[in-house]
Amino acid sequence: MNTTLTAPTSAPRTTGVRPAERTRFSPEDLAQYRTEGYVVAPRLFDIQEVEHAKETIREMTRAAIASGDSSKVMELEPEAADGERVPRRIYDPFLAHETFRAMGTDTRVLDRIEALIGPDICCNLSKLNMKPAKVGSVVDWHQDLTYYPHTNADLVTVLVYLDDATVENGCLQVLPRHQHAYFSHSDKQGNFAGMITEDLDGGRFGKPVPLEAPAGSVIFMHCILPHSSLPNRSPKPRRTLIYSYRAGDAYPLYYSESVVSFEKRVRLVRGKMSPTARFGGPPPIIPQVGTEMKSLYEMQRAAKGEKS
Ligand SMILES: O=C(O)CCC(=O)C(=O)O
């Protein structure tokens, strides 16, 4: 079951107590999160820390390819870039490498999460979205909690930009203030489409906001806030490290065997697990996925009638 992590020791550049003002949100940041559903902390990680993360990604990619079966570690872009297949997603960086555990348990991140969901915190998933130059895949509009329904909505998604992110290289975009209710994620047959299937165009729900920010910046986003990103056709990659955190009393709802395997990867990172589950938030969507949840990209392409 869940285990408490000991304090990371081997990556001092991403750990250690920082001056208080650097680890906490300002009252304005907190108000922005509560109202808009997200807040951006510019350059939370410095350039050396970002470079260290990118070097770790290169190492992991080389090792996965050399192993002859990279599919356990990563998912590839369907399109080749300059004749080479490149990864679009690396699975579970928090569990796979100390560099990413250190970043995901850094005081600057966890103190902010604590301000949003309280002192008991689990990291319930992590992934690396590679968004490579020229061939980086689109991510369609979705609300994260539809992928992993919980007893309450005290979950936060944290996205760490490892490159300068702009509209050109497919930065994240969000639909502010829509973190209180779900849009439909079902296809015509009632199956989980992995994306919002209602029409968001026409400004009825407000205007999407592109979150452009320099490398090292961190986005804290409510787990029900709709978000997406455009394909990357630019010459620059837009790598992003993504973590999800949940409160110690938010427990997963069972919808398929996938939940059992997701739970094995959950780690307590601060405080303690609650002996009771708390119920709250809008009634959760239970994703109709059959026996297992497929990759976000595969589900979204299938829902649009495209081949993966
Ligand atoms: O990095 C992005 O474009 C967002 C990715 C995302 O929302 C996801 O993988 O769930």
Side-chain angles (χ1 to χ4, degrees):
M1 278 300 287
N2 303 304
T3 51
T4 309
L5 284 176
T6 50
T9 50
S10 63
R13 282 176 300 181
T14 57
T15 57
V17 176
R18 304 270 163 163
E21 67 278 11
R22 285 209 59 202
T23 73
R24 307 211 177 264
F25 281 131
S26 67
E28 294 74 27
D29 288 338
L30 278 174
Q32 143 102 19
Y33 182 88
R34 302 276 176 233
T35 315
E36 306 297 316
Y38 73 96
V39 65
V40 183
R43 294 196 170 93
L44 197 74
F45 290 102
D46 67 31
I47 219 63
Q48 281 159 311
E49 292 170 319
V50 168
E51 283 309 314
H52 183 56
K54 290 201 269 203
E55 185 47 42
T56 307
I57 294 174
R58 286 190 281 273
E59 261 171 43
M60 285 172 68
T61 308
R62 277 195 295 270
I65 290 167
S67 78
D69 181 10
S70 63
S71 68
K72 290 200 181 73
V73 179
M74 59 178 65
E75 180 179 340
L76 298 175
E77 286 288 355
E79 254 182 281
D82 302 324
E84 245 187 72
R85 298 291 299 279
V86 286
R88 70 175 165 193
R89 168 139 303 169
I90 297 181
Y91 308 130
D92 290 327
F94 184 99
L95 298 183
H97 205 285
E98 176 59 25
T99 298
F100 302 119
R101 273 196 293 285
M103 291 175 86
T105 54
D106 191 284
T107 317
R108 289 164 289 177
V109 172
L110 289 187
D111 283 358
R112 285 177 167 86
I113 299 286
E114 181 167 339
L116 304 179
I117 61 173
D120 300 318
I121 307 170
C122 295
C123 177
N124 60 299
L125 70 82
S126 69
K127 53 196 172 183
L128 256 161
N129 189 8
M130 297 293 282
K131 208 60 139 181
K134 298 180 191 168
V135 296
S137 290
V138 63
V139 173
D140 276 283
W141 288 101
H142 64 282
Q143 293 167 294
D144 284 344
L145 209 54
T146 60
Y147 280 77
Y148 37 86
H150 277 67
T151 55
N152 64 60
D154 272 344
L155 288 86
V156 180
T157 305
V158 166
L159 300 100
V160 184
Y161 282 151
L162 300 177
D163 297 292
D164 294 345
T166 61
V167 169
E168 288 69 39
N169 66 359
C171 66
L172 193 81
Q173 43 181 357
V174 297
L175 199 56
R177 299 182 174 222
H178 287 283
Q179 68 273 31
H180 304 293
Y182 291 104
F183 289 97
S184 171
H185 285 63
S186 298
D187 66 15
K188 290 199 176 77
Q189 288 72 43
N191 297 319
F192 185 58
M195 58 185 273
I196 294 178
T197 48
E198 290 174 56
D199 189 4
L200 295 184
D201 291 341
R204 244 181 339 139
F205 299 106
K207 252 179 95 173
V209 175
L211 302 183
E212 295 193 314
S217 300
V218 180
I219 300 165
F220 294 81
M221 183 175 74
H222 190 282
C223 60
I224 303 182
L225 194 75
H227 57 284
S228 69
S229 63
L230 296 172
N232 184 7
R233 297 290 169 221
S234 83
K236 295 184 178 163
R238 196 225 75 189
R239 286 158 285 191
T240 304
L241 179 56
I242 304 175
Y243 303 96
S244 168
Y245 298 90
R246 72 183 189 205
D249 57 4
Y251 281 93
L253 299 173
Y254 183 88
Y255 60 85
S256 88
E257 279 302 298
S258 303
V259 179
V260 177
S261 85
F262 288 159
E263 273 309 285
K264 291 185 184 145
R265 294 176 241 163
V266 174
R267 295 291 182 274
L268 182 66
V269 292
R270 183 173 276 188
K272 56 187 186 330
M273 300 290 296
S274 168
T276 53
R278 181 169 47 89
F279 288 78
I285 288 185
I286 302 300
Q288 304 300 313
V289 296
T291 50
E292 63 165 347
M293 178 73 83
K294 294 206 181 72
S295 125
L296 168 147
Y297 299 101
E298 284 174 34
M299 282 189 293
Q300 295 190 341
R301 289 184 80 130
K304 292 182 286 182
E306 296 169 6
K307 284 208 180 110
S308 274

